[in-house]
Amino acid sequence: MEIIHSSKEIQNRMIAARAEGKRIGFVPTMGALHTGHIALAEKVRPDCDILVLSIFVNPLQFGPSEDLDKYPRTLESDAEKAQAAGVDIIFAPSPREMYPQGFETTVSCGSITTRLEGAARPGHFDGVTTVVLKLFNIVQPHVSVFGQKDAQQVLVIRRMVEDLSIPVELDILPTVRESDGLAMSSRNAYLTSEERLQGPIIQRGLLDAQEAWNRGERNAEQLRKIVLNCYAQSSLMTTEYVSVADYSCVELSGEISSEVLLSVVCRTAVSQTRLIDNSIMKLLD
Ligand code: PAF
């Protein structure tokens, strides 16, 4: 496995690989690799000849009061994990390599980016789509894989790929969880041991709503209330939002007649970690 820092170098290599008929698979990450990232790499590995994983803590997608500086940067151990997962090339650019002096262009995907996480973190999705499009242009993948844990991110990237006719297939992996149900995230490393013990409650709320949905509950406010009641049991977490929305991330009210993206954000009391999770509730035929 190789680690490449230069965007020109990897772009030239990938153009040559494409000309030889090689299929390129791509896993974009911000590093601090955990089992969830490894599962993304393993999902796309059988579907490509060359597997590229990028590691770049993208300053554009962090707000001014967010955790950009303390976000874990662990290239050495990431490289060992990526190699074990069958990654061929790590692309690990510096911020200056990605955003040189004079960089001004951004990509914005419209109304979906102003809702939910976009409302809570203004500018976040413009940062994500700008870097993802740039990474797509550099790595030139045939297929790229993303995790459902960031469900709105997946919907926004789908919008971009569709709207801008980007020639890449998107593959989505269901959320990978710890054995007690907490969704895997690099930010879980911030949790105190007491906060970590209460982590599973986040999925518990989603499962409670799912059970109600399976019993026939279709009222958006009721579903929200079920999740909020569950989270009220936690002494170490406050709920930032519980959203019952459609696939455009538009909040639903009253009786629901479409599929639902139920997404939640909690903030822990001591380490102030923002934990997100979601589930999709489908209508049964
Ligand atoms: O999901 C992430 O880790 C990031 O948002 C991504 C897609 C790598 C872009 O920086």
Side-chain angles (χ1 to χ4, degrees):
M1 193 193 65
E2 283 177 81
I3 302 179
I4 296 180
H5 300 284
S6 150
S7 45
K8 253 291 145 262
E9 183 183 342
I10 190 164
Q11 191 180 48
N12 287 337
R13 292 268 292 274
M14 294 304 105
I15 289 169
R18 271 182 166 258
E20 287 169 20
K22 297 263 170 34
R23 183 168 163 86
I24 299 163
F26 180 45
V27 184
T29 83
M30 297 204 300
L33 300 185
H34 51 66
T35 313
H37 295 114
I38 299 308
L40 294 174
E42 288 174 349
K43 176 131 197 329
V44 75
R45 180 64 279 186
D47 188 25
C48 62
D49 302 306
I50 300 178
L51 178 52
V52 178
L53 179 141
S54 64
I55 296 181
F56 179 60
V57 183
N58 173 33
L60 277 195
Q61 70 189 74
F62 287 77
S65 59
E66 294 184 8
D67 55 346
L68 174 63
D69 291 338
K70 77 165 182 177
Y71 200 88
R73 286 152 172 93
T74 53
L75 184 57
E76 218 172 288
S77 60
D78 287 350
E80 283 168 22
K81 292 176 192 166
Q83 181 156 27
V87 169
D88 297 304
I89 298 175
I90 289 182
F91 174 48
S94 65
R96 185 41 71 98
E97 176 70 14
M98 289 296 275
Y99 304 123
Q101 194 76 34
F103 183 96
E104 277 196 312
T105 306
T106 56
V107 181
S108 185
C109 291
S111 56
I112 189 172
T113 68
T114 63
R115 304 181 187 127
L116 305 183
E117 284 300 270
R121 306 177 66 189
H124 168 69
F125 285 118
D126 290 1
V128 170
T129 46
T130 300
V131 82
V132 169
L133 180 58
K134 189 166 165 102
L135 288 166
F136 283 171
N137 285 331
I138 293 168
V139 176
Q140 313 233 339
H142 294 83
V143 54
S144 184
V145 62
F146 293 84
Q148 200 211 296
K149 187 191 145 249
D150 296 296
Q152 191 178 4
Q153 170 170 283
V154 168
L155 293 167
V156 168
I157 291 170
R158 269 216 184 111
R159 176 86 278 135
M160 174 178 80
V161 165
E162 211 173 298
D163 288 356
L164 300 181
S165 308
I166 302 169
V168 65
E169 290 164 37
L170 298 180
D171 196 356
I172 311 306
L173 182 80
T175 303
V176 180
R177 298 180 181 280
E178 302 287 354
S179 56
D180 63 5
L182 178 66
M184 288 202 182
S185 162
S186 305
R187 290 188 167 103
N188 292 351
Y190 302 154
L191 298 174
T192 65
S193 47
E194 289 78 13
E195 288 172 343
R196 176 63 192 82
L197 282 175
Q198 294 197 4
I201 207 166
I202 298 179
Q203 190 199 24
R204 184 72 255 157
L206 296 174
L207 291 173
D208 286 355
Q210 183 70 59
E211 278 162 26
W213 176 270
N214 293 346
R215 285 194 308 271
E217 180 59 75
R218 293 290 182 273
N219 184 275
E221 288 72 25
Q222 279 306 323
L223 290 166
R224 244 178 244 120
K225 205 188 286 172
I226 288 166
V227 182
L228 287 167
N229 285 345
C230 175
Y231 293 169
Q233 295 162 31
S234 167
S235 53
L236 286 175
M237 268 183 244
T238 50
T239 309
E240 218 169 85
Y241 66 74
V242 172
S243 158
V244 177
D246 64 16
Y247 286 179
S248 299
C249 300
V250 174
E251 209 63 51
L252 297 167
S253 61
E255 294 304 300
I256 297 165
S257 56
S258 62
E259 295 183 340
V260 170
L261 170 63
L262 174 62
S263 28
V264 298
V265 179
C266 294
R267 192 178 283 277
T268 61
V270 182
S271 65
Q272 291 291 306
T273 308
R274 211 167 166 273
L275 297 171
I276 71 171
D277 205 344
N278 69 82
S279 74
I280 289 186
M281 298 189 294
K282 295 202 179 222
L283 295 171
L284 298 175
D285 304 320

